[in-house]
Amino acid sequence: MQRRSFIQAAGAAAASTLGIPTVFAQDWPSGPVRIVVGFPPGGGTDALARVVAQKLAVMWNQTVIVENKGGVAGVLAAEYVATQPSDGSTLLMAHINSHALAPSLQPKLRYNVERDFVPIVLVGVTPNLLIASPTQKAVTVKDIVALCSAEPGKVSFGSAGAGSAQHLALEMFKLQAKVDAMHVPYKGSGPLLADLMGSQIQYSFETMTAATPHVKSGKVIGVAQTRLKRAKGHPGIPTMQEQGFDGFEATTWYGLAGPGKLPAGIADKINRDVNTVLAMPDVQERLDTYGAEDGGGSREKFAKFISSEIEKWARVVKDGKVRVDA
């Protein structure tokens, strides 16, 4: 029901704004545009937002600012954008945390994904990378499971915050492996990675976007990736499925969304222009490096994707009895 109502709401929003003059959308933007990111600089969401923002700034001949508003695993940024004017001046780099996980994990959420946002375009879907600090000796999934079994509740896994994609990937791992482990939440991927590289924590199911530079430089160890297929940018790192976890798929995804009354004309223009950006060879090369695939497409495609993700992770939260402090 939730999925159907979300798609219907997206269609209704488009229909209700058909009367907006075409020239209004053509003239937009007439001033700076902000893309709000719900995490500190240095994380995957921030990296992809800046790739897109740089290209849109040139295309629109306007300043496009990436503004970081970290907190509550991306939820604070979503709360903020939901209250902003629906004139296209403020957009959200929507994220699995704010738009698929939070509805199940936080019953007192101050926004409604269906009502308060207009899905614009999916930017990319990435695996998470199970990564290890450089001093770890257990660097296969089998050995990590053995270590967790030998030291229940003591092996540390960092995340970008309670209720984040990294946290839920860990909970999925614990369920399938039948082990216990220590969850260490951070305020974003930047500080998490700093501590992992310094061996203050042992492992993380980090976003591939944020982890990639550090895996490539050898500062952390890539153990496994969490889509059923290997990402183009990491052909040498096996999937969790290849290492004995059948069907294990825990992605992180990113897309642009606007406040709930964003006119369809503006949303359509942004959709078209971001699709153009994503098709640029240099952008595609960057996305492949980060493991971000399957982006682009219609607004309806993004709306359907969000609905399916809400349903999927609601089941994981229920089965794993996952709780976070809202």
Side-chain angles (χ1 to χ4, degrees):
M1 178 63 70
Q2 186 174 37
R3 176 177 179 178
R4 185 181 303 114
S5 62
F6 189 24
I7 297 166
Q8 289 173 341
S16 68
T17 51
L18 288 177
I20 293 175
T22 302
V23 68
F24 180 61
Q26 290 175 340
D27 290 345
W28 180 92
S30 58
V33 176
R34 292 183 298 159
I35 299 178
V36 179
V37 169
F39 304 92
T45 317
D46 180 74
L48 288 184
R50 291 180 190 279
V51 170
V52 173
Q54 288 168 4
K55 295 294 186 180
L56 291 178
V58 174
M59 184 179 295
W60 294 338
N61 195 29
Q62 280 290 351
T63 301
V64 180
I65 303 166
V66 174
E67 184 173 323
N68 300 89
K69 288 186 176 293
V72 197
V75 168
L76 289 185
E79 289 179 348
Y80 171 77
V81 172
T83 66
Q84 295 305 293
S86 295
D87 59 4
S89 63
T90 305
L91 306 173
L92 176 70
M93 191 63 154
H95 188 276
I96 181 176
N97 293 358
S98 60
H99 276 55
L101 304 182
S104 299
L105 289 167
Q106 300 188 27
K108 297 182 180 179
L109 204 60
R110 295 177 184 174
Y111 59 85
N112 181 286
V113 171
E114 299 174 8
R115 180 191 66 223
D116 296 326
F117 292 95
V118 172
I120 298 174
V121 63
L122 180 65
V123 172
V125 181
T126 73
N128 290 332
L129 273 183
L130 174 54
I131 52 177
S133 73
T135 58
Q136 290 305 304
K137 291 182 170 35
V139 291
T140 67
V141 176
K142 179 180 178 181
D143 287 347
I144 295 171
V145 171
L147 180 62
C148 291
S149 297
E151 301 178 13
K154 295 182 180 179
V155 180
S156 56
F157 287 74
S159 83
S164 66
Q166 298 96 322
H167 177 197
L168 269 291
L170 169 61
E171 296 297 334
M172 183 181 285
F173 168 71
K174 288 163 57 179
L175 279 171
Q176 290 200 20
K178 297 180 172 56
V179 297
D180 191 15
M182 181 192 304
H183 173 225
V184 184
Y186 287 82
K187 293 182 178 179
S189 293
L192 180 165
L193 286 162
D195 273 8
L196 188 73
M197 288 184 282
S199 297
Q200 277 77 44
I201 56 174
Q202 294 166 275
Y203 302 99
S204 177
F205 282 94
E206 180 53 273
T207 66
M208 182 172 282
T209 314
T212 288
H214 307 294
V215 173
K216 299 289 189 184
S217 67
K219 293 179 181 177
V220 300
I221 302 167
V223 177
Q225 47 184 302
T226 63
R227 289 192 85 179
L228 301 183
K229 61 179 182 179
R230 296 191 189 191
K232 296 176 185 176
H234 290 272
I237 298 180
T239 65
M240 291 290 290
Q241 178 160 288
E242 291 174 288
Q243 297 195 59
F245 279 68
D246 189 47
F248 192 102
E249 187 163 38
T251 65
T252 297
W253 51 263
Y254 317 83
L256 284 177
K261 295 183 180 179
L262 183 71
I266 294 177
D268 287 341
K269 175 176 172 54
I270 300 171
N271 176 276
R272 288 193 301 269
D273 291 347
V274 173
N275 271 288
T276 298
V277 167
L278 296 178
M280 294 177 180
D282 59 330
V283 172
Q284 191 60 60
E285 184 177 352
R286 293 281 299 278
L287 295 178
D288 286 347
T289 299
Y290 289 131
E293 300 175 356
D294 303 325
S298 68
R299 292 169 54 201
E300 184 180 29
K301 169 191 169 183
F302 189 28
K304 289 180 178 178
F305 179 78
I306 294 172
S307 293
S308 67
E309 283 285 286
I310 290 173
E311 293 174 3
K312 169 185 173 179
W313 289 107
R315 291 192 297 269
V316 173
V317 168
K318 180 180 178 181
D319 293 346
K321 299 179 180 178
V322 182
R323 296 288 183 270
V324 300
D325 293 329

